[in-house]
Amino acid sequence: MVSFGGSCAKCELSGRKLAGATFTGADFEGATLVGADLRGATLMGVNFSDADFSRANLTGSEMVGTVFTGANLTGAKLDGVEAPAVVFNNADLSGARLTGAELVAANFVRANLNHANFSSSELIHAQFTKADASRADFSGAEMNNADLTAGVFERASFRGASLEGARFRKAAFGGADFRGASLDGADLRWTDLSDARGLTQDQIDDACSDRTTILPKGLVAHECSKVMLIRREAPRAPKAPAPPIPPAPPRD
């Protein structure tokens, strides 16, 4: 068992075999972990801001109160991770795999999610505001009450995904696939879905839309009922737990 704590900013850990390692209350800002093996690792209250995890393997790891702001996770494997309310804002997860991951209330604000694979993941209350998730795979994902405001989801797949109560406002969905997706109570107002694929009138009738919603030819907007609005606005995303302050380095 390998354990890390304290401060190790800009550490070089590329290619290290750290499967099952424990990181607690540590500061690894700017650290390099390219291709590192972190399968089954436990990351509790760790600061990995601006760290480089490209091609790293974090499959099955547990993350609580951990921050990846601005981190590089291109091509990383995060399948099956347990990461409630973890912060990935401004991070680069292009080409990353997050299948079957538990990412409730995770923060992906302004993140690069191009070609990322979120299939069958739990993304309830997740924040995707202004994220670029072009060609990302959300098939079968649970995205109830997720916030997609002003995000880019062109050619993304939402096949069979649950988007109940999700907020779509001003997001881009050109070529996105919604076949079999659940949109019950989703807010489609101020959204252009004219080039989206797989949408049906039944899906639109279950969602909230109006004259500001641009739909594919043949579909008609469906005004929100008060019941839909109450149900959509009631749930609130839990706040991300603040990471503990790393211990001060020992005095000379």
Side-chain angles (χ1 to χ4, degrees):
M1 178 71 70
V2 179
S3 297
F4 293 91
S7 180
C8 195
K10 297 184 178 180
C11 277
E12 173 55 67
L13 297 169
S14 295
R16 294 289 186 90
K17 303 296 183 182
L18 300 170
T22 299
F23 295 75
T24 305
D27 181 9
F28 277 75
E29 182 175 0
T32 304
L33 296 100
V34 175
D37 182 358
L38 291 153
R39 289 174 294 172
T42 300
L43 315 175
M44 306 290 288
V46 186
N47 177 21
F48 284 117
S49 296
D50 299 318
D52 190 348
F53 282 89
S54 53
R55 303 188 308 282
N57 191 346
L58 294 100
T59 300
S61 59
E62 181 181 359
M63 309 173 185
V64 178
T66 296
V67 176
F68 293 93
T69 298
N72 179 5
L73 293 113
T74 56
K77 296 178 181 179
L78 295 98
D79 303 289
V81 299
E82 296 181 22
V86 166
V87 178
F88 291 101
N89 64 304
N90 290 297
D92 187 349
L93 290 104
S94 53
R97 288 181 53 88
L98 301 99
T99 63
E102 295 181 22
L103 295 158
V104 176
N107 180 346
F108 294 99
V109 174
R110 297 180 185 275
N112 180 359
L113 308 174
N114 274 267
H115 291 90
N117 189 343
F118 289 92
S119 59
S120 301
S121 289
E122 291 185 38
L123 292 159
I124 299 168
H125 285 297
Q127 301 291 315
F128 292 96
T129 306
K130 296 185 178 180
D132 184 353
S134 301
R135 298 179 184 273
D137 185 358
F138 295 99
S139 58
E142 293 183 42
M143 303 180 71
N144 300 339
N145 298 300
D147 190 349
L148 283 61
T149 301
V152 179
F153 298 90
E154 295 180 350
R155 297 186 179 278
S157 175
F158 296 97
R159 286 193 190 187
S162 180
L163 290 149
E164 297 180 9
R167 190 179 182 88
F168 280 47
R169 287 194 175 197
K170 298 183 179 180
F173 293 98
D177 188 352
F178 287 94
R179 276 178 281 185
S182 175
L183 302 178
D184 188 15
D187 187 354
L188 311 182
R189 295 172 295 178
W190 299 99
T191 305
D192 185 351
L193 292 163
S194 59
D195 293 324
R197 298 178 293 142
L199 283 173
T200 66
Q201 189 60 52
D202 286 342
Q203 288 172 309
I204 301 303
D205 290 345
D206 287 338
C208 300
S209 55
D210 59 16
R211 59 184 178 80
T212 65
T213 308
I214 305 175
L215 297 169
K217 187 176 180 180
L219 300 183
V220 180
H222 184 87
E223 293 282 347
C224 275
S225 68
K226 290 183 179 179
V227 174
M228 280 185 180
L229 286 171
I230 291 172
R231 183 172 55 197
R232 182 177 62 79
E233 296 293 348
R236 293 186 180 276
K239 292 183 179 179
I245 299 173
R251 294 181 179 178
D252 294 333

